[in-house]
Amino acid sequence: MSVGVSSYLSLSPEVASSLADGAPVVALESTLLAHGLPWPDNIEVALASEAAVRRSGAIPATIAVLAGQIHVGLSQKELERVAHGQGFFKASAADLGPLLAAQADAATTVSATVAAAARAGISIMATGGIGGVHRGDALDVSCDLTTLASEPVAVVSAGAKAILDLPKTLEYLETLGVPVVGYGTGNLPAFYTSSSELSLMHRVDGAAAAARLVRSHFAVHPRRGVLLCNPIPASEALPSEVVERALHAALQAAESLHVGGKALTPFLLGRIATETGLASVRANRALIIDNARVAGEVATALAALRRAA
Ligand code: PSU
Ligand code: MN
C-alpha cells in the first residue's frame, strides 16, 4: 500500500489553476505569523505580504497545516486562525508526517514550507529570515538549512536572523552546497540591519538576473535549493547598536531561563521586541513584506523565462 502526498495536500483553486497554467506562484511561510509576530501585526503582515506578491504579478500561496492537511493557499479566515495561533504547533519538515497523522493544526517554518512547496510544484518562497546555527550552541542547527539542501526551492530571506551565529550559518550552507546570493548586495544581510561584515561570492541585481541564476542553478542541481538574500529596506533598518544591545539582553534572558529548542527563536524575537520598544517588530514587518515583493518579482521573471524556453 502506498499513499501519495496528494492525499495530504490541499491546493486552493487559484493556486492549483495558476500552477497548471505555469503562472508564477510564491509560497509564504506561516510560523512567522503564529510564533514570530504579535497580533495584530501578524495578520497585517500576512495580508500585506500576499498583496505585495500580487503587485509583483504572482499568486501568493501561504502554507499551513490545518486538521492534518497541508493547505497551500489560505483564505483570509484561515490566515486569521493561523495568526491567532491558538493550538498551532511550530512544524519543521521533520514534524510534517507526525502532525498529518495526528490531524493537527500547525504553522510551517521555512523547512516545512519548502518541503510542502516542492511537493506542490512551487519553486520560490519568501520568509523573514531563515533559521541557522544558534549562537553558543553549534549543535542547534535549524532544519531550514538541511532542507534547503534537499529541495529545489529558491528562498528569499533577509539573510539569516541576527540572533544566530552568522559566520557559522554561512559555513554550514557552504558544507551543504547551497548557494547564498546577495540580492543587490555583496554582503550577507543581517535581518534587522542591511549588512553584516560577511561578504558573499555571488550577487545579482534585479529580478531578471535572479531568475536567470535560479534557472541555471536548478539546471545543474535539480534537487537543491538556493538562498537569495534581500537586505531590509534602508529606511526601515535598525541602528546596529540598538540591535546589539537588545540581542545581548535577550540572549542572557534565554540562558538564565533555560529556553532552548523550538521555543528559542520565538522567545528571542519576543524579547528583542520588548527591549526595542517594538521597533524590531516594525523592522521585521518591513523586511518580510519586502521579501514577498522580491519573491513575486523573481517568480514572475522565472515564469517568463520558462514560457520563452
Ligand atoms: N522569519 C521571521 N520570523 C520568524 C521566522 C522567520 O521574520 O519567526 C521563523 C521561520 O519559520 C524559520 C524559523 O523557519 O523562524 C526558524 O526557527 P528555528 O530557529 O527554531 O529553526
Ligand atoms: Mn533549533
Side-chain angles (χ1 to χ4, degrees), residues 184-205:
T185 180
N187 278 19
L188 182 72
F191 200 60
Y192 301 123
T193 54
S194 49
S195 183
S196 65
E197 310 277 79
L198 301 161
S199 62
L200 298 175
M201 182 174 167
H202 307 291
R203 166 183 180 146
V204 288
D205 289 278

Side-chain angles (χ1 to χ4, degrees), residues 60 72 166 195 200 271 281:
V72 181
L166 296 182
S195 183
L200 298 175
R271 272 298 168 124
V281 173

